[in-house]
Amino acid sequence: MAKSAYPERETQNRIIKFFQKEVGYKYLGNLEDDQNFNVRWGDWKRFLYNSGYSTDFVDAIETKFGQIVSDFSQSPYHTNKEVYRILKYGLKLAEHPGQSPKTVYFINWEEPEKNDFYIAEEVTVNDNVEKRPDIVLYINGIAIAVMELKKSTVSVADGIRQNVTNQRDQFIQRFFSTIQICAAANDSEGLRYGTSGTTEKYYLEWKEDNFTDQLQDKDDLDKFIEDKCGRQLNLLEKQCYRIFQKDRILDIIHNFIIYDSGIKKICRYNQFYAIKRCQKRLARNQGGIVWHTQGSGKSLTMVWLTKWILENITGSRVLIITDREELDDQIEKIFTGVDLQIARSKSSDNLLTLLNSYENRLMCSLIHKFGRRTGEVSDLDYEKYVEELKKTIPADFSVKDKVFVLVDECHRTNSGKLHLAMKSIMPDSVFVGFTGTPLLKVDKEQKTTATLFGGFIHTYKFDQAVRDGVVLDLRYEARNVPQEVSSKDKIDAWFEAKTKGLMPKATAALKEKWATLQQLYSSKDRLEKIALDIIFDFETKQRLCDGRGNALLVAGSIAEACRYYEIFQDKNFKNCAIVSSYKPNRGELRTDFSSTIEDSENWKKQKAYLKMLGYDPDVSVEDDDFYKKIETFEKRVKDMFVDEPANM
């Protein structure tokens, strides 16, 4: 056997020694011959006795906690959530009848070294069947992590699948009611982690932070670990230390696990480090930008940061700012989904009322809902918003308590004018911006977004997310739509390239359908040629022709988008719609001084929207009905684009 191909037993022995010597866990031994449960009641009681509780009170707590741990009457998710709540916030119980309840904590979150950390191997669990996790980690007798180890020539994915399988109801599901971290590892791939209920797809790799600025504690944590251990460590040992060192594991469990609308989630490393850096900035009363690429979990990062602020900063309140109705809806649903009550502002004066009161600690507000429907923000929107705020500020207005403002899509929402306006209303507030869009160097006010907020707090770029498997890479395919196709040879070459890979029968059918292509193609303008090229893709591209995918066509202007829509309709390609920030305004037609109203750009746009909504362009329409129908239509289109591509 090659030296690099460590057998599983050798890996397990070395990891157990590493946990004992370098991480400071006590070894409980090989528990293969024992009947094991997820709470070692003797160790658990010892911790409570050492915390000063009487024997009778500990017995009463044991009865109560034992019932909660084993109650699966609702669901494993519900049981695990209730156990987690008790681990984090304590169990309330009166020591004697008639007395006020005491809050009993089973873990000392503030002083890691005052807890008892244990490691055991070959932990036999008999439930519906007998299973034996390779390694189980305990804190004060409570099982909080399981790890499946594989030899270096066996994929970590096998260990992940073991964890997933063991949590099914026909195996040892009950054992996982206290588990917070599930891990699988080998020496060649390292360690992957999730939490209870995590599916195989979402197991993660923990990496150390590469973002260096004045907030960096250590230039290289891995070097720090090796210096402490006095030797060079392999990948698996480093990753075990990164996650399971005593203060880190307590921090992850306490602050970076969340129950989100039926799914238990644990943080990615980029979320962890972003929040740790935010914590340091906020402690100095400073804000900044968290720039994490789209798809990397910014919404949950905001949730974890919000929870930390509310739980750790006395007198704190949080205001979430968005600039789209969809995002405002999403924010409300996300925070409601994690059992946080959030007050949603309905207007500018309502926002001021919320800020002027101590009542709501968590608030959200849409920034440009005043007189404009969903869409991009313009300078006119900013000015209107500021004007509305100034009009509605009461004489006795003052922001109550310390408000931390988290701005979603901050590259778009906080222009110079709006940022200064918000600062003038909340002069003592700290602003933290979140974006996944590359920031332009300079905006119209000659100030960068990062400068307005106070610089970058943390970055997680697209290429990092691709390497981590968090998002899929982009593939760019240059498209050259021929503008002049007067010869049959050019049409044949184009057709052959477009149908490459299709079966002969399918190619013949398309050729018959597109028999007049040369005549059509050579007589159309550029937009029509592009539209024909796209329609042909929907006939030949797998994800498009089978109804499992959709496409976005980005036009150079709203007028151009409307022109494309007309072309698609003329070609009997009905599965398309215009979605834009354009607000049709029939009053514009009265100020359009083109030679004929029918030829004006405004009329062309209005006509396209009327047709799309099923109106006759020559029949008068009530404005309110028109605008309401557009909003309803676009919302339906967006939902179908994501959820029902075949029915778009």
Side-chain angles (χ1 to χ4, degrees):
M1 180 181 292
K3 189 170 184 180
S4 61
Y6 294 112
E8 183 177 318
R9 184 69 256 176
E10 180 183 330
T11 300
Q12 188 164 312
N13 289 342
R14 183 163 35 80
I15 289 301
I16 288 172
K17 288 181 180 178
F18 179 77
F19 267 88
Q20 289 178 263
K21 183 179 178 182
E22 315 296 357
V23 195
Y25 283 61
K26 301 173 185 176
Y27 181 53
L28 293 173
N30 185 314
L31 306 183
E32 181 176 358
D33 297 327
D34 297 347
Q35 175 57 32
N36 299 287
F37 301 95
N38 52 8
V39 180
R40 293 174 58 86
W41 294 106
D43 296 327
W44 177 83
K45 286 183 175 182
R46 187 180 307 110
F47 172 78
L48 292 184
Y49 292 150
N50 292 337
S51 300
Y53 296 109
S54 66
T55 301
D56 290 343
F57 191 37
V58 169
D59 289 343
I61 299 169
E62 178 185 9
T63 300
K64 181 69 173 177
F65 187 46
Q67 291 171 348
I68 294 170
V69 168
S70 59
D71 181 8
F72 280 72
S73 58
Q74 289 188 258
S75 68
Y77 173 86
H78 179 272
T79 303
N80 191 279
K81 183 178 180 180
E82 181 63 15
V83 170
Y84 177 80
R85 185 189 65 78
I86 290 170
L87 293 183
K88 182 171 181 176
Y89 299 111
L91 179 65
K92 290 187 176 181
L93 194 67
E95 186 168 4
H96 301 289
Q99 290 185 343
S100 298
K102 292 181 178 180
T103 301
V104 181
Y105 291 94
F106 302 160
I107 296 175
N108 187 331
W109 300 106
E110 302 298 326
E111 302 169 288
E113 293 300 331
K114 291 190 176 180
N115 297 288
D116 297 318
F117 292 81
Y118 301 103
I119 183 170
E121 61 179 319
E122 303 299 331
V123 181
T124 298
V125 179
N126 276 294
D127 198 348
N128 295 308
V129 296
E130 182 178 285
K131 286 288 185 177
R132 191 175 297 115
D134 292 335
I135 290 176
V136 177
L137 303 179
Y138 299 84
I139 298 178
N140 304 329
I142 302 170
I144 52 90
V146 295
M147 187 187 303
E148 294 293 342
L149 292 171
K150 297 298 173 186
K151 61 183 179 182
S152 56
T153 55
V154 175
S155 173
V156 167
D158 284 7
I160 294 173
R161 285 190 281 271
Q162 274 185 262
N163 277 329
V164 173
T165 299
N166 284 344
Q167 294 176 64
R168 294 175 180 167
D169 57 2
Q170 64 266 46
F171 293 99
I172 57 170
Q173 186 180 76
R174 294 175 180 275
F175 187 79
F176 286 80
S177 66
T178 63
I179 295 297
Q180 308 306 320
I181 297 179
C182 300
N186 67 17
D187 276 301
S188 57
E189 296 176 84
L191 183 142
R192 302 294 183 271
Y193 72 97
T195 186
S196 54
T198 301
T199 57
E200 180 181 350
K201 178 183 177 181
Y202 293 104
Y203 270 68
L204 310 165
E205 181 180 9
W206 190 283
K207 296 180 180 178
E208 275 314 299
D209 188 28
N210 295 320
F211 187 76
T212 57
D213 68 357
Q214 67 272 20
L215 298 176
Q216 189 79 16
D217 283 332
K218 306 177 183 72
D219 292 332
D220 188 338
L221 180 60
D222 288 343
K223 185 177 184 300
F224 170 80
I225 297 169
E226 290 184 343
D227 289 345
K228 178 181 177 181
C229 298
R231 63 182 178 85
Q232 188 173 355
L233 306 179
N234 69 8
L235 174 63
L236 175 54
E237 291 169 330
K238 290 177 183 178
Q239 290 179 329
C240 284
Y241 191 93
R242 292 169 187 169
I243 296 176
F244 296 111
Q245 55 178 296
K246 293 178 180 179
D247 55 348
R248 173 71 58 81
I249 186 61
L250 291 183
D251 195 2
I252 291 174
I253 293 174
H254 192 271
N255 297 313
F256 295 93
I257 285 176
I258 207 162
Y259 292 80
D260 182 10
S261 301
I263 302 174
K264 185 180 180 183
K265 298 177 180 178
I266 191 169
C267 67
R268 298 171 180 150
Y269 73 93
N270 62 293
Q271 295 168 318
F272 177 87
Y273 285 113
I275 292 169
K276 300 308 289 183
R277 294 182 183 284
C278 283
Q279 291 171 5
K280 293 182 179 181
R281 283 284 182 99
L282 298 184
R284 300 203 300 263
N285 209 38
Q286 295 177 349
I289 296 282
V290 175
W291 177 23
H292 284 191
T293 189
Q294 293 178 355
S296 60
K298 290 190 302 300
S299 294
L300 281 183
T301 302
M302 294 173 71
V303 170
W304 274 311
L305 180 58
T306 297
K307 288 175 70 71
W308 182 86
I309 291 171
L310 296 178
E311 291 175 2
N312 292 275
I313 300 180
T314 304
S316 61
R317 303 170 72 201
V318 175
L319 170 63
I320 312 291
I321 294 289
T322 61
D323 73 336
R324 291 181 184 273
E325 289 282 0
E326 294 96 328
L327 292 177
D328 205 32
D329 290 339
Q330 180 183 331
I331 287 293
E332 184 178 35
K333 289 175 183 176
I334 287 172
F335 280 94
T336 302
V338 299
D339 300 327
L340 285 176
Q341 291 186 337
I342 186 166
R344 188 172 176 181
S345 164
K346 303 300 181 184
S347 63
S348 57
D349 58 340
N350 181 227
L351 173 58
L352 294 175
T353 299
L354 291 173
L355 292 171
N356 200 25
S357 166
Y358 291 98
E359 185 176 350
N360 298 286
R361 296 193 66 199
L362 177 58
M363 304 158 285
C364 67
S365 177
L366 181 66
I367 211 68
H368 73 290
K369 63 172 61 176
F370 313 106
R372 183 173 175 85
R373 73 183 185 87
T374 301
E376 294 290 353
V377 190
S378 70
D379 284 343
L380 185 61
D381 291 313
Y382 292 140
E383 292 169 4
K384 187 174 180 62
Y385 178 68
V386 173
E387 182 182 338
E388 288 284 337
L389 284 176
K390 288 179 178 178
K391 287 180 181 179
T392 55
I393 294 177
D396 62 344
F397 173 79
S398 66
V399 177
K400 302 301 187 288
D401 283 332
K402 180 72 174 181
V403 175
F404 294 87
V405 185
L406 308 187
V407 184
D408 196 16
E409 301 298 349
C410 62
H411 67 284
R412 196 168 60 210
T413 301
N414 265 46
S415 76
K417 292 179 182 178
L418 184 56
H419 192 88
L420 292 175
M422 297 295 286
K423 281 283 191 181
S424 67
I425 295 165
M426 299 179 284
D428 297 323
S429 296
V430 176
F431 288 71
V432 178
F434 291 80
T435 184
T437 303
L439 302 180
L440 298 177
K441 289 184 178 180
V442 181
D443 63 17
K444 293 179 182 178
E445 300 295 324
Q446 299 299 306
K447 291 182 180 180
T448 65
T449 306
T451 300
L452 281 171
F453 278 85
F456 288 107
I457 298 174
H458 193 265
T459 64
Y460 184 63
K461 299 179 182 178
F462 179 77
D463 57 344
Q464 293 173 273
V466 170
R467 287 195 300 271
D468 293 340
V470 171
V471 299
L472 295 176
D473 202 357
L474 295 175
R475 184 179 70 181
Y476 176 75
E477 176 187 349
R479 300 299 296 270
N480 181 23
V481 179
Q483 302 302 303
E484 298 294 334
V485 282
S486 56
S487 73
K488 185 178 185 302
D489 290 342
K490 286 185 178 180
I491 287 289
D492 289 342
W494 178 86
F495 189 87
E496 183 179 349
K498 295 286 287 184
T499 57
K500 186 177 181 180
L502 293 181
M503 298 295 288
K505 186 175 180 180
T507 303
L510 276 173
K511 196 165 190 176
E512 183 178 348
K513 183 175 180 180
W514 289 72
T516 58
L517 179 64
Q518 182 179 357
Q519 181 183 349
L520 285 170
Y521 218 80
S522 59
S523 64
K524 302 301 180 184
D525 65 19
R526 178 177 178 274
L527 296 189
E528 287 188 283
K529 288 170 182 173
I530 291 172
L532 284 169
D533 207 51
I534 292 169
I535 293 170
F536 201 89
D537 276 355
F538 272 83
E539 298 278 2
T540 57
K541 300 286 186 182
Q542 184 177 0
R543 285 291 296 274
L544 300 177
C545 68
D546 64 11
R548 293 186 297 114
N550 272 324
L552 293 172
L553 172 60
V554 182
S557 67
I558 292 169
E560 187 176 281
C562 292
R563 175 68 180 134
Y564 273 122
Y565 177 79
E566 296 277 9
I567 293 170
F568 284 123
Q569 298 306 298
D570 290 344
K571 304 304 177 192
N572 202 36
F573 187 80
K574 304 296 185 181
N575 292 359
C576 65
I578 305 166
V579 177
S580 77
S581 59
Y582 171 57
K583 178 185 177 181
N585 183 357
R586 299 179 70 79
E588 290 177 357
L589 302 183
R590 293 190 291 271
T591 59
D592 195 314
F593 297 107
S594 300
S595 56
T596 61
I597 193 168
E598 288 79 7
D599 293 333
S600 72
E601 288 297 307
N602 285 327
W603 174 245
K604 287 178 181 178
K605 290 186 284 189
Q606 293 270 11
K607 185 178 177 182
Y609 270 81
L610 286 166
K611 281 186 175 181
M612 186 171 69
L613 297 175
Y615 290 114
D616 184 342
D618 298 320
V619 178
S620 178
V621 184
E622 291 294 329
D623 286 354
D624 289 345
D625 179 57
F626 185 40
Y627 301 152
K628 185 176 180 181
K629 195 165 184 178
I630 287 174
E631 291 186 8
T632 303
F633 176 81
E634 288 197 1
K635 185 178 187 307
R636 177 170 166 266
V637 166
K638 292 172 185 177
D639 291 342
M640 291 184 72
F641 186 89
V642 175
D643 301 326
E644 303 176 43
N647 297 321
M648 174 64 192

